[in-house]
Amino acid sequence: MSEVVKTLIVDDHPLFARATKALLGEIERIQVIGVVSNAKECLEQVKLHQPGLVFLDYQLPDLTGTDVAVQLKQLYPHIHIVIFTGIELAGIYNKLIEIKVSGVLSKESSERTIKNMVYCILDGYTMIPLPVFNQMQLNDANAQEECELNDEEVLMMNMLVKGATHEQIAERIFMSKRTVDNYLRKIYDKYGAKSRTEALEKFIKSKYYT
């Protein structure tokens, strides 16, 4: 008999978390052992239950999915992590591959796609969106990848360089401070920066700095 894989869902949106739990519960060999809403609870539950698979929301109240994934893989190298996100993460795929997550899924993915991702992971494989896969084929593995930012990200970084606070940026672009915080952490990930200062230094040297 195939081994049951204990699975933890980490998402701070209750409706989406419940829907994910119901969907994963339909998959043979998957046993959902809990649903939590933040990074702190995630780390506690993983330590307690030792799940083999974690469905991890990229945007959590206390940390990004990247931050949590780094901690989990350091403590439990063999754990499978699927980053579940409502924003575009193509720009940090290399970072996520470096962390050794097992997959990345959009929250707009169909039920079939989500299930297929799980089946692939159970068989030792993963899934990659075709546009990302095609780009990986075209890029020289030894070539330095240029960090691409969208217009909002460029505006945020230019404001940061000029000394704006997260609150001022949020007011300027009509977003919540939390959303701005998450966007900035995503930009830092794109740059592979370990601190705000390092990210700003790299931005100033980029084509986007004005």
Side-chain angles (χ1 to χ4, degrees):
M1 181 177 179
S2 299
E3 182 182 356
V4 171
V5 179
K6 292 187 290 187
T7 302
L8 178 69
I9 298 167
V10 188
D11 198 309
D12 64 336
H13 296 85
L15 290 177
F16 194 87
R18 285 197 292 270
T20 304
K21 179 181 179 181
L23 178 60
L24 296 182
E26 297 174 1
I27 301 175
E28 187 179 358
R29 292 181 57 196
I30 293 296
Q31 176 190 2
V32 179
I33 51 94
V35 176
V36 297
S37 61
N38 58 56
K40 181 176 181 294
E41 292 177 337
C42 170
L43 293 168
E44 290 173 349
Q45 290 299 305
V46 170
K47 181 179 180 180
L48 181 63
H49 296 288
Q50 301 284 308
L53 173 63
V54 175
F55 263 68
L56 181 62
D57 187 4
Y58 183 79
Q59 294 178 294
L60 295 171
D62 42 357
L63 291 174
T64 66
T66 306
D67 296 328
V68 181
V70 168
Q71 294 187 49
L72 289 176
K73 294 299 285 188
Q74 287 175 343
L75 293 169
Y76 315 98
H78 300 296
I79 197 170
H80 288 293
I81 299 171
V82 175
I83 299 290
F84 229 22
T85 177
I87 62 177
E88 176 56 54
L89 293 183
I92 63 168
Y93 259 82
N94 282 349
K95 176 68 174 179
L96 296 173
I97 292 171
E98 179 185 335
I99 296 170
K100 292 183 169 51
V101 303
S102 296
V104 182
L105 277 175
S106 166
K107 288 192 173 184
E108 296 180 358
S109 299
S110 67
E111 292 186 2
R112 181 176 64 182
T113 297
I114 296 169
K115 288 182 176 180
N116 283 342
M117 172 68 85
V118 175
Y119 291 134
C120 281
I121 290 172
L122 293 179
D123 288 339
Y125 292 85
T126 190
M127 297 191 325
I128 299 174
L130 281 174
V132 176
F133 177 67
N134 291 335
Q135 189 65 36
M136 289 171 64
Q137 289 180 309
L138 292 171
N139 284 342
D140 183 340
N142 295 317
Q144 184 174 1
E145 182 179 351
E146 183 177 4
C147 176
E148 295 293 335
L149 302 180
N150 61 37
D151 291 343
E152 284 184 338
E153 291 170 337
V154 171
L155 175 59
M156 290 180 192
M157 291 301 287
N158 272 305
M159 290 183 69
L160 270 186
V161 170
K162 295 172 184 176
T165 65
H166 289 201
E167 289 83 359
Q168 289 170 329
I169 295 173
E171 183 177 353
R172 169 75 181 275
I173 60 180
F174 306 106
M175 289 183 177
S176 68
K177 178 180 176 296
R178 176 185 167 189
T179 301
V180 170
D181 292 343
N182 285 325
Y183 264 100
L184 288 173
R185 284 197 291 262
K186 176 189 168 188
I187 295 170
Y188 300 165
D189 283 342
K190 282 186 178 183
Y191 278 118
K194 297 180 180 179
S195 67
R196 166 176 163 162
T197 301
E198 183 182 349
L200 289 176
E201 288 175 353
K202 292 184 176 182
F203 176 75
I204 290 170
K205 296 176 183 178
S206 75
K207 63 184 178 182
Y208 298 111
Y209 177 56
T210 58

